[in-house]
PDB file of all heavy atoms in Angstrom:
ATOM      1  N   GLN A 422     -71.131  26.776 -42.624  1.00  0.00           N
ATOM      2  CA  GLN A 422     -71.321  25.464 -42.000  1.00  0.00           C
ATOM      3  C   GLN A 422     -70.290  25.232 -40.926  1.00  0.00           C
ATOM      4  O   GLN A 422     -69.284  25.962 -40.809  1.00  0.00           O
ATOM      5  CB  GLN A 422     -71.212  24.367 -43.070  1.00  0.00           C
ATOM      6  CG  GLN A 422     -72.366  24.399 -44.065  1.00  0.00           C
ATOM      7  CD  GLN A 422     -72.330  23.184 -44.985  1.00  0.00           C
ATOM      8  OE1 GLN A 422     -71.464  22.346 -44.891  1.00  0.00           O
ATOM      9  NE2 GLN A 422     -73.289  23.133 -45.878  1.00  0.00           N
ATOM     10  N   GLU A 423     -70.518  24.201 -40.139  1.00  0.00           N
ATOM     11  CA  GLU A 423     -69.566  23.838 -39.079  1.00  0.00           C
ATOM     12  C   GLU A 423     -68.224  23.478 -39.702  1.00  0.00           C
ATOM     13  O   GLU A 423     -68.134  22.860 -40.766  1.00  0.00           O
ATOM     14  CB  GLU A 423     -70.136  22.640 -38.347  1.00  0.00           C
ATOM     15  CG  GLU A 423     -69.322  22.225 -37.156  1.00  0.00           C
ATOM     16  CD  GLU A 423     -69.951  21.062 -36.391  1.00  0.00           C
ATOM     17  OE1 GLU A 423     -71.213  20.963 -36.403  1.00  0.00           O
ATOM     18  OE2 GLU A 423     -69.200  20.237 -35.861  1.00  0.00           O
ATOM     19  N   PRO A 424     -67.112  23.901 -39.066  1.00  0.00           N
ATOM     20  CA  PRO A 424     -65.778  23.551 -39.609  1.00  0.00           C
ATOM     21  C   PRO A 424     -65.597  22.037 -39.708  1.00  0.00           C
ATOM     22  O   PRO A 424     -66.162  21.262 -38.979  1.00  0.00           O
ATOM     23  CB  PRO A 424     -64.820  24.139 -38.560  1.00  0.00           C
ATOM     24  CG  PRO A 424     -65.614  25.164 -37.841  1.00  0.00           C
ATOM     25  CD  PRO A 424     -67.025  24.715 -37.861  1.00  0.00           C
ATOM     26  N   ASN A 425     -64.774  21.656 -40.666  1.00  0.00           N
ATOM     27  CA  ASN A 425     -64.469  20.242 -40.974  1.00  0.00           C
ATOM     28  C   ASN A 425     -65.678  19.428 -41.428  1.00  0.00           C
ATOM     29  O   ASN A 425     -65.771  18.254 -41.172  1.00  0.00           O
ATOM     30  CB  ASN A 425     -63.814  19.543 -39.771  1.00  0.00           C
ATOM     31  CG  ASN A 425     -62.448  20.123 -39.478  1.00  0.00           C
ATOM     32  OD1 ASN A 425     -61.700  20.453 -40.395  1.00  0.00           O
ATOM     33  ND2 ASN A 425     -62.101  20.215 -38.206  1.00  0.00           N
ATOM     34  N   THR A 426     -66.560  20.081 -42.163  1.00  0.00           N
ATOM     35  CA  THR A 426     -67.619  19.357 -42.805  1.00  0.00           C
ATOM     36  C   THR A 426     -67.446  19.486 -44.323  1.00  0.00           C
ATOM     37  O   THR A 426     -66.840  20.441 -44.823  1.00  0.00           O
ATOM     38  CB  THR A 426     -69.037  19.921 -42.435  1.00  0.00           C
ATOM     39  OG1 THR A 426     -69.078  21.316 -42.748  1.00  0.00           O
ATOM     40  CG2 THR A 426     -69.337  19.686 -40.971  1.00  0.00           C
ATOM     41  N   VAL A 427     -67.934  18.516 -45.036  1.00  0.00           N
ATOM     42  CA  VAL A 427     -67.787  18.456 -46.491  1.00  0.00           C
ATOM     43  C   VAL A 427     -68.739  19.469 -47.117  1.00  0.00           C
ATOM     44  O   VAL A 427     -69.935  19.499 -46.803  1.00  0.00           O
ATOM     45  CB  VAL A 427     -68.051  17.046 -47.034  1.00  0.00           C
ATOM     46  CG1 VAL A 427     -68.042  17.013 -48.553  1.00  0.00           C
ATOM     47  CG2 VAL A 427     -67.044  16.066 -46.466  1.00  0.00           C
ATOM     48  N   LEU A 428     -68.213  20.321 -48.009  1.00  0.00           N
ATOM     49  CA  LEU A 428     -69.030  21.259 -48.735  1.00  0.00           C
ATOM     50  C   LEU A 428     -69.378  20.696 -50.116  1.00  0.00           C
ATOM     51  O   LEU A 428     -70.512  20.829 -50.567  1.00  0.00           O
ATOM     52  CB  LEU A 428     -68.317  22.604 -48.899  1.00  0.00           C
ATOM     53  CG  LEU A 428     -68.057  23.405 -47.635  1.00  0.00           C
ATOM     54  CD1 LEU A 428     -67.227  24.643 -47.960  1.00  0.00           C
ATOM     55  CD2 LEU A 428     -69.359  23.789 -46.980  1.00  0.00           C
ATOM     56  N   GLN A 429     -68.388  20.102 -50.774  1.00  0.00           N
ATOM     57  CA  GLN A 429     -68.583  19.648 -52.139  1.00  0.00           C
ATOM     58  C   GLN A 429     -67.669  18.446 -52.402  1.00  0.00           C
ATOM     59  O   GLN A 429     -66.553  18.375 -51.893  1.00  0.00           O
ATOM     60  CB  GLN A 429     -68.230  20.769 -53.122  1.00  0.00           C
ATOM     61  CG  GLN A 429     -68.346  20.405 -54.582  1.00  0.00           C
ATOM     62  CD  GLN A 429     -67.871  21.509 -55.474  1.00  0.00           C
ATOM     63  OE1 GLN A 429     -67.296  22.519 -55.013  1.00  0.00           O
ATOM     64  NE2 GLN A 429     -68.075  21.367 -56.746  1.00  0.00           N
ATOM     65  N   VAL A 430     -68.149  17.487 -53.187  1.00  0.00           N
ATOM     66  CA  VAL A 430     -67.361  16.326 -53.584  1.00  0.00           C
ATOM     67  C   VAL A 430     -66.859  16.583 -55.010  1.00  0.00           C
ATOM     68  O   VAL A 430     -67.677  16.769 -55.927  1.00  0.00           O
ATOM     69  CB  VAL A 430     -68.175  15.036 -53.522  1.00  0.00           C
ATOM     70  CG1 VAL A 430     -67.331  13.865 -54.013  1.00  0.00           C
ATOM     71  CG2 VAL A 430     -68.667  14.786 -52.125  1.00  0.00           C
ATOM     72  N   MET A 431     -65.562  16.651 -55.175  1.00  0.00           N
ATOM     73  CA  MET A 431     -64.994  16.861 -56.507  1.00  0.00           C
ATOM     74  C   MET A 431     -64.857  15.543 -57.272  1.00  0.00           C
ATOM     75  O   MET A 431     -64.997  15.511 -58.493  1.00  0.00           O
ATOM     76  CB  MET A 431     -63.612  17.519 -56.379  1.00  0.00           C
ATOM     77  CG  MET A 431     -63.643  18.880 -55.747  1.00  0.00           C
ATOM     78  SD  MET A 431     -61.946  19.424 -55.502  1.00  0.00           S
ATOM     79  CE  MET A 431     -62.231  21.043 -54.849  1.00  0.00           C
ATOM     80  N   GLN A 432     -64.535  14.484 -56.537  1.00  0.00           N
ATOM     81  CA  GLN A 432     -64.389  13.167 -57.158  1.00  0.00           C
ATOM     82  C   GLN A 432     -64.720  12.101 -56.103  1.00  0.00           C
ATOM     83  O   GLN A 432     -64.212  12.166 -54.979  1.00  0.00           O
ATOM     84  CB  GLN A 432     -62.941  12.975 -57.658  1.00  0.00           C
ATOM     85  CG  GLN A 432     -62.723  11.730 -58.438  1.00  0.00           C
ATOM     86  CD  GLN A 432     -61.283  11.677 -58.920  1.00  0.00           C
ATOM     87  OE1 GLN A 432     -60.346  11.772 -58.127  1.00  0.00           O
ATOM     88  NE2 GLN A 432     -61.120  11.488 -60.208  1.00  0.00           N
ATOM     89  N   LYS A 433     -65.531  11.120 -56.464  1.00  0.00           N
ATOM     90  CA  LYS A 433     -65.864  10.041 -55.562  1.00  0.00           C
ATOM     91  C   LYS A 433     -64.618   9.206 -55.244  1.00  0.00           C
ATOM     92  O   LYS A 433     -63.735   9.088 -56.084  1.00  0.00           O
ATOM     93  CB  LYS A 433     -66.911   9.102 -56.157  1.00  0.00           C
ATOM     94  CG  LYS A 433     -68.254   9.714 -56.401  1.00  0.00           C
ATOM     95  CD  LYS A 433     -69.160   8.695 -57.057  1.00  0.00           C
ATOM     96  CE  LYS A 433     -70.472   9.300 -57.479  1.00  0.00           C
ATOM     97  NZ  LYS A 433     -71.302   8.339 -58.209  1.00  0.00           N
TER      98      LYS A 433
END
Side-chain angles (χ1 to χ4, degrees):
Q422 292 188 0
E423 185 178 328
N425 293 324
T426 56
V427 175
L428 294 175
Q429 178 185 9
V430 177
M431 298 173 176
Q432 185 179 54
K433 294 178 188 176

